[in-house]
Amino acid sequence: MAEDVNYPPFQLGKSRYDQGTFFGRLRHYLDIIDPRTLFVTEVRLKESVKLLEDYKHGTLPPRVSNTQLWEAQKIKQAIIHPDTQEKILMPFRMSGYIPFGTPIVVGLLLPNQTLASTVFWQWLNQSHNACVNYANRNATKPTPVSKFIQGYLGAVTSAVSIAVGLNILIQKANTFSPSTRLLIQRFVPFPAVASANICNVVLMRHSELAEGIDVLDANGNAVGSSKIAAKRALMETALTRVVLPMPILVLPPLIMSFLEKLPLLQTQRSLVLPVHSLVCLAAFGLALPLAISLFPQMSECSVSRNNENLGTNNQRGDIRVLSSGHRLKYQNWNLRLQWQPLAEQLFTTRVCNEVQQMVLLVTAFQTSWSP
């Protein structure tokens, strides 16, 4: 059919785009965060679910195109949790992250923040992140609610403490002019959010460092556990959650410091907030898909099998590792690691390739943040 020219043959549960290229990953994530799926009606959702069920059972009605199947899968994946098969609340869907998160970013970056407003916006930001993480959690291996609460409280405490502390230090710095002090204060949200992200990851996953994560062979049979894989996955998640907020929380203050000097905004001060909001929306909307598309979902490193608690019943030398939030694949007995972040790590990109550096940094974070 003519409409299927841009659509490959449908594959249930697979991506429509080539995940081995940057452009393919970018288009894949643009589909995931597409806010248009927020307006899908209940009738359209039921039709999409039924169409996929018919495909699964080989009972598709005639003349159903690949286009219809891919669109049905996009709708279902955007709204229905893959493990619980329940609808995800609209503000906590991946497609709702930018629309519902942008007002929070605007609030975080407002100039001349008071103590109360600083605490409020940092608390709201971490609360929203916690709800998104929980709503999109990996439910095949349930995580105790106490861990989510621990991570949430740690993130809120970290974000508020650093934001308030830095603001107080900047206000007491007599060497800065008022304009310089105001400009520096606009960048305070970034270190606060970055530190909170690290705290949340370590508090949620520090037990994996001691226990390792399950190792499965190519047939899905458990053959042991891997602490090195756990350290690698946790470190990548923590480090990349530092990188991701950078364009979202750093670019708008830089752009606004320039725009506010324009004659239009100098004379029409009522336009500052709308312009500020548009700049934050543009930065958020552009930075998110680009950042999470930089690297493949599967990353690699080499570790020694001799140091892992692995069985010897695998004759082919192909080992898969599957854990809460991570899917890893080891090849040969040298264990080439491939890690695929699930929904909780949707907003992460890889920033470090050296295992030794990551292990050292994870240990430091664990020592600093563990209760």
Side-chain angles (χ1 to χ4, degrees), residues 181-192:
R181 186 180 293 111
L182 179 61
L183 178 62
I184 295 175
Q185 281 182 317
R186 286 186 164 185
F187 294 98
V188 166
F190 171 65

Side-chain angles (χ1 to χ4, degrees), residues 296-347:
Q297 288 180 308
M298 309 294 281
S299 59
E300 299 182 354
C301 73
S302 296
V303 295
S304 172
R305 175 179 180 271
N306 295 330
N307 294 329
E308 294 285 5
N309 181 25
L310 302 178
T312 58
N313 58 348
N314 188 314
Q315 302 300 320
R316 294 179 51 198
D318 292 332
I319 299 177
R320 290 178 64 83
V321 176
L322 183 64
S323 73
S324 174
H326 315 288
R327 182 175 297 131
L328 308 103
K329 183 177 181 180
Y330 288 79
Q331 297 177 339
N332 304 318
W333 292 124
N334 230 5
L335 300 187
R336 287 175 59 79
L337 168 63
Q338 296 184 340
W339 162 45
Q340 179 181 11
L342 298 179
E344 185 180 349
Q345 280 77 42
L346 177 64
F347 316 112

